[in-house]
Amino acid sequence: MKLIVNGKSEVCDEQIMLGELLYLNKIKPDEKGVAVALNEVVVFRAKWSDTIVRDGDRIEIIRATQGG
């Protein structure tokens, strides 16, 4: 299965849940300042573990940062 994560191609051997994919990308379920969009639609944190990622999906992981 091929995915696009933050603009880069990734390959998964099998169907995966969004929460699992985030874990593989070092995103913890309780990490603050993280937003996730699946095919340009924001996925609420409560739905991360219930959301199935399918072949060809585009996932954007956004982390808030401080600075100036």
Side-chain angles (χ1 to χ4, degrees):
M1 176 168 73
K2 294 181 184 178
L3 308 170
I4 305 294
V5 179
N6 288 349
K8 295 181 181 176
S9 182
E10 286 195 19
V11 177
C12 294
D13 292 336
E14 57 190 51
Q15 187 173 356
I16 190 169
M17 302 302 276
L18 182 59
E20 294 173 293
L21 179 70
L22 294 172
Y23 178 79
L24 292 173
N25 280 277
K26 300 183 180 13
I27 305 290
K28 298 176 185 172
D30 60 347
E31 187 172 339
K32 295 186 181 203
V34 176
V36 178
L38 175 64
N39 299 321
E40 300 182 10
V41 176
V42 173
V43 179
F44 292 106
R45 184 179 304 267
K47 296 289 185 181
W48 287 0
S49 62
D50 299 332
T51 302
I52 298 171
V53 178
R54 294 184 167 78
D55 188 45
D57 279 351
R58 299 180 64 87
I59 296 100
E60 293 295 327
I61 304 167
I62 301 139
R63 289 184 177 196
T65 59
Q66 277 186 301

